Amino acid sequence: EVQLVESGGGLVQPGGSLRLSCVASTFTFSSYEMNWVRQAPGKGLEWVSYISSSGRTIYYADSVKGRFTISRDNAENSLYLQMNSLRAEDTAVYHCATLGYTGYWGRGTLVTVSS
Amino acid sequence: AIQMTQSPSSLSASVGDRVTITCRASQGIGNDLGWYQQKPGKAPKLLIHAASSLQSGVPSRFSGSGSGTDFTLTISSLQPEDFATYYCLQGYNYPRTFGQGTKVEIK
């Protein structure tokens, strides 16, 4: 069974930073494009960022561009999201996901931005 | 960015009912559309990819149709485990965009 497990969430003050991780198991992580998707409490799904299988192509939502950085380490089967200059509106559960026709998702990690 | 307009935002239905949810894209996206089901506290589950391809393991009462700008998710006979929120997602370009969601509740 494919597993994606996120970690690194928590409570952070506005303006602070967090680094999220997503570790993949039982599938060939290096072959898959990956994404971060978030969901604010009681709200819908919002796509955040994409990285190609090689890491050479990256996209961001306008709402996080310039503040968040996506990266991956295929040797470690890991995906990352460095989040800087955090705002209250970044409060959400953050999921890593393959999207596309595979549809693998992790259960998510909660990020709360509050003073 | 492509806007995905999903309707209705919520609906009440009974077990056994036929349910239809629609998603309209602000520009043509071919068949690059997926449908997801999400239950409270859980990750979304992919039901349909490429507008009409049933994901492995998903019951055949779920079906998808459409291309270009107009898409439909149909549940032919609603079951108790189908009460959830459903989202469409366009896979045509970046930024990826989701519909606003449709909450299917018990009547």
Side-chain angles (χ1 to χ4, degrees), chain A residues 35 37 39 43-47 50 59 95 99-103 105-107, chain B residues 36 38 41-46 49 55 87 89 94-100:
Chain A
N35 298 266
V37 176
Q39 187 167 35
K43 303 296 185 182
L45 299 168
E46 180 188 15
W47 173 82
Y50 159 90
Y59 300 110
H95 298 272
L99 300 182
Y101 65 90
T102 51
W105 288 65
R107 295 189 65 179
Chain B
Y36 288 85
Q38 188 180 32
K42 303 289 189 181
K45 174 186 175 183
L46 181 64
H49 67 269
Q55 193 70 359
Y87 296 92
L89 169 65
Y94 289 92
R96 293 285 195 253
T97 41
F98 290 90
Q100 304 95 316

Side-chain angles (χ1 to χ4, degrees), chain B residues 2-107:
Chain B
I2 297 173
Q3 292 193 352
M4 303 302 295
T5 303
Q6 190 174 335
S7 62
S9 56
S10 65
L11 64 90
S12 295
S14 301
V15 172
D17 283 354
R18 182 181 182 88
V19 169
T20 299
I21 299 168
T22 64
C23 214
R24 175 165 288 177
S26 59
Q27 67 181 72
I29 60 171
N31 70 340
D32 289 331
L33 185 106
W35 288 99
Y36 288 85
Q37 176 194 67
Q38 188 180 32
K39 296 181 180 179
K42 303 289 189 181
K45 174 186 175 183
L46 181 64
L47 301 175
I48 303 281
H49 67 269
S52 60
S53 295
L54 193 68
Q55 193 70 359
S56 176
V58 174
S60 59
R61 62 180 180 273
F62 291 93
S63 64
S65 64
S67 67
T69 60
D70 294 309
F71 302 87
T72 300
L73 173 69
T74 300
I75 309 172
S76 60
S77 178
L78 198 65
Q79 298 302 300
E81 60 267 29
D82 301 336
F83 291 95
T85 302
Y86 295 84
Y87 296 92
C88 61
L89 169 65
Q90 67 84 9
Y92 183 75
N93 66 7
Y94 289 92
R96 293 285 195 253
T97 41
F98 290 90
Q100 304 95 316
T102 297
K103 187 172 184 178
V104 177
E105 299 175 302
I106 302 172
K107 183 182 283 185

Side-chain angles (χ1 to χ4, degrees), chain A:
Chain A
E1 181 187 349
V2 170
Q3 273 206 312
L4 292 170
V5 179
E6 303 92 339
S7 62
L11 175 63
V12 61
Q13 293 189 336
S17 298
L18 276 179
R19 189 193 196 208
L20 306 185
S21 299
C22 168
V23 178
S25 58
T26 69
F27 75 110
T28 312
F29 177 77
S30 60
S31 299
Y32 286 84
E33 303 171 344
M34 296 297 299
N35 298 266
W36 288 98
V37 176
R38 69 184 179 183
Q39 187 167 35
K43 303 296 185 182
L45 299 168
E46 180 188 15
W47 173 82
V48 172
S49 184
Y50 159 90
I51 187 167
S52 63
S53 56
S54 66
R56 283 194 283 266
T57 301
I58 286 172
Y59 300 110
Y60 297 100
D62 285 346
S63 56
V64 307
K65 201 173 295 182
R67 301 187 299 122
F68 290 11
T69 302
I70 191 171
S71 63
R72 66 190 297 160
D73 183 340
N74 286 340
E76 296 292 328
N77 290 338
S78 293
L79 175 73
Y80 305 102
L81 187 68
Q82 177 67 43
M83 304 188 297
N84 298 331
S85 303
L86 283 161
R87 306 166 180 168
E89 55 265 35
D90 295 318
T91 294
V93 174
Y94 285 73
H95 298 272
C96 59
T98 55
L99 300 182
Y101 65 90
T102 51
Y104 301 141
W105 288 65
R107 295 189 65 179
T109 185
L110 176 62
V111 172
T112 303
V113 185
S114 175
S115 54

